[in-house]
Amino acid sequence: MNSKELKDKILKLKKEKNAVILAHYYQINDIQEIADIRGDSLALAREATKLSSDIIVFCGVRFMAETAKVLCPDRKVLIPEMDSVCPLADMATREEVLKKKEELGNTTIVSYVNTNVDVKTVSDICCTSANAVNVVRSLDEKRVLFVPDRNLGSYVKEQVPEKEIVLWDGYCPVHEEYSVENLKKLKEEHPNAKVAVHPESPKAVREMADFIGSTSGIINYVNKTDTDEFIIGTEEGILYELRVNNPGKKFYIIGSKSICTNMKKITLESLYKALKDEIYEIKLDEETIELAKKPIERMVSIKRT
Ligand code: 13P
Ligand code: SF4
C-alpha cells in the first residue's frame, strides 16, 4: 500500500472504531499530518483527559502512552510500537530513586514526565519541560530531587534559586549532542537568526540561546517573533509544525542528527496495524494507576505556563 492508501485506511478505521490519534511533535510528518491532535507532552497529557473516544492511539514514546493510560484508565490506550521507549526515562528506576531519597532524607521528588510509570508511583509531583519551573516554584518544600534530566534540572535550578535542587545524572541523547561549536558555526552562517532551544540542551548551549522552552514553547516563540530565520535546538520533527504555521520562515536545526530514533519507530504501517488489530495495548495494574495518578494530576492541576 502506498502512503495515501494507508492514510485513507487509517482514517476510515479510526472513525469505525471511535479512536483518536495523538501525536507528539517528534513523530514523522505523515503521522503528524493525520493525527487528531499534535502536541508536546504536557498538551497531550491534558488533551487525553478531555477525550470521549473508546480508543486512544498514542504516537509517541512509551512513557507518554502510559501517562495517557493513567489519566484515562477506562480507555483502551494503544502504542503502535511497544519498543518506542525513551532512553532518558530508562536512566532512572524506582529502586534507584527510593535509594536516593533514603540517602537524602526529607526531600520532595519531582519527576519529569520522561520517566517510566513505576518511577511516577514514588514521585510527589511530575513536570514537563513546559511547566517544570512553575511546578518547582509551586512547592512549599525547599529540598527537591529532580529526576532524571540533569540539563532540565539545572535550568530549573537557575530559574528557582530559592530551592535546594539535587540533580539526577540523566540526559537525553539527542539534546546532549548539541555543542557550542555546532551552534557557533550556525550563528556565523546565519547571523540574523534567533536561537530557540529545548531545556534538555546542555547549559553552554542554553546560554547562547535567545529563547529556552519546551517544544510548544519554541513553536509559540517562532510564531510570534518577527524574524525570518531561526536556529532550533530540538528534535527535527518539530519542523513540521513550525513550517505549517510559518511557511515563509527558515529553520536550521543544531546538530547533524537531531533525530530521536525511538520516536521515529512509528510508521504509517505500524499505526494502521495498531488500529486494525488493536495493538499494543498499554496495561497497568490498578495500584500502579492509583499511585502514578497522584503526581500527574497534581502537575495537571497547576496553572498553565
Ligand atoms: P516536550 O515536553 O517539550 O514535549 O518534550 C518531550 C521530550 O521528549 C523532549 O525530548
Ligand atoms: Fe526521550 Fe530524548 Fe527522545 Fe525526548 S528526544 S523522547 S527525551 S530520547
Side-chain angles (χ1 to χ4, degrees):
M1 262 187 280
N2 64 32
S3 56
K4 163 86 176 73
E5 287 163 346
L6 272 170
K7 283 180 190 167
D8 290 345
K9 282 196 178 280
I10 289 167
L11 295 174
K12 189 161 172 276
L13 266 179
K14 189 175 70 106
K15 221 173 181 176
E16 281 166 17
K17 298 200 174 198
N18 188 25
V20 157
I21 300 172
L22 303 185
H24 190 269
Y25 290 131
Y26 297 164
Q27 290 290 295
I28 60 167
N29 290 357
D30 278 336
I31 300 274
Q32 293 201 53
E33 195 189 307
I34 57 164
D36 295 285
I37 304 168
R38 298 192 289 272
D40 69 358
S41 52
L42 177 59
L44 294 175
R46 286 188 204 271
E47 288 302 325
T49 62
K50 297 181 200 153
L51 300 172
S52 58
S53 57
D54 298 318
I55 299 177
I56 297 171
V57 189
F58 209 113
C59 297
V61 284
R62 198 158 70 207
F63 76 80
M64 296 180 179
E66 284 175 349
T67 304
K69 181 66 185 175
V70 168
L71 292 172
C72 315
D74 55 333
R75 307 291 155 69
K76 191 176 248 190
V77 177
L78 305 175
I79 184 162
E81 295 286 350
M82 207 42 154
D83 65 347
S84 180
V85 293
C86 169
L88 167 62
D90 288 343
M91 289 179 194
T93 66
R94 178 179 175 277
E95 290 64 36
E96 288 165 343
V97 171
L98 286 174
K99 188 165 173 271
K100 188 75 185 170
K101 186 176 163 79
E102 202 174 310
E103 271 168 42
L104 292 170
N106 194 17
T107 312
T108 300
I109 302 178
V110 177
S111 50
Y112 191 22
V113 280
N114 297 41
T115 44
N116 295 317
V117 71
D118 58 339
V119 169
K120 292 185 175 85
T121 64
V122 295
S123 301
D124 295 294
I125 189 164
C126 289
C127 70
T128 72
S129 53
N131 64 11
V133 169
N134 272 9
V135 163
V136 172
R137 215 174 254 149
S138 77
L139 300 171
D140 292 331
E141 300 86 350
K142 190 169 168 59
R143 192 181 231 210
V144 166
L145 172 61
F146 192 92
V147 183
D149 189 72
R150 64 184 180 212
N151 292 320
L152 176 62
S154 73
Y155 173 66
V156 174
K157 216 171 157 147
E158 289 154 23
Q159 305 299 310
V160 196
E162 65 274 22
K163 301 284 182 198
E164 194 184 306
I165 301 178
V166 179
L167 300 179
W168 198 263
D169 201 18
Y171 59 89
C172 161
V174 178
H175 294 83
E176 184 73 7
E177 278 294 300
Y178 301 158
S179 69
V180 169
E181 291 67 38
N182 272 174
L183 182 50
K184 261 194 188 150
K185 190 166 173 286
L186 272 178
K187 279 178 92 140
E188 276 162 25
E189 286 164 9
H190 311 284
N192 298 322
K194 293 278 185 202
V195 180
V197 306
H198 198 281
E200 285 176 13
S201 309
K203 183 176 164 67
V205 168
R206 292 198 311 268
E207 281 172 352
M208 293 169 71
D210 297 294
F211 176 81
I212 302 164
S214 66
T215 46
S216 58
I218 292 174
I219 290 164
N220 293 337
Y221 172 75
V222 169
N223 292 350
K224 68 172 202 269
T225 304
D226 192 16
T227 306
D228 291 338
E229 293 183 296
F230 293 85
I231 295 171
I232 303 291
T234 197
E235 212 270 355
E236 55 99 58
I238 198 174
L239 293 174
Y240 179 84
E241 188 73 18
L242 291 175
R243 286 179 178 143
V244 166
N245 298 339
N246 306 278
K249 296 184 179 179
K250 289 203 173 80
F251 304 103
Y252 315 101
I253 294 272
I254 309 177
S256 54
K257 46 177 184 351
S258 190
I259 292 177
C260 176
T261 47
N262 279 284
M263 283 279 184
K264 294 329 195 215
K265 282 179 182 163
I266 298 177
T267 60
L268 284 176
E269 283 82 2
S270 59
L271 173 53
Y272 170 62
K273 205 164 182 302
L275 266 168
K276 183 167 72 66
D277 302 337
E278 300 188 16
I279 53 169
Y280 296 94
E281 187 174 355
I282 302 286
K283 288 195 173 145
L284 300 173
D285 62 65
E286 261 176 50
E287 194 192 355
T288 301
I289 290 179
E290 270 320 297
L291 291 171
K293 197 176 233 169
K294 286 185 195 142
I296 301 172
E297 284 189 338
R298 201 174 155 197
M299 164 189 82
V300 173
S301 72
I302 286 189
K303 224 170 103 285
R304 208 175 274 258
T305 46

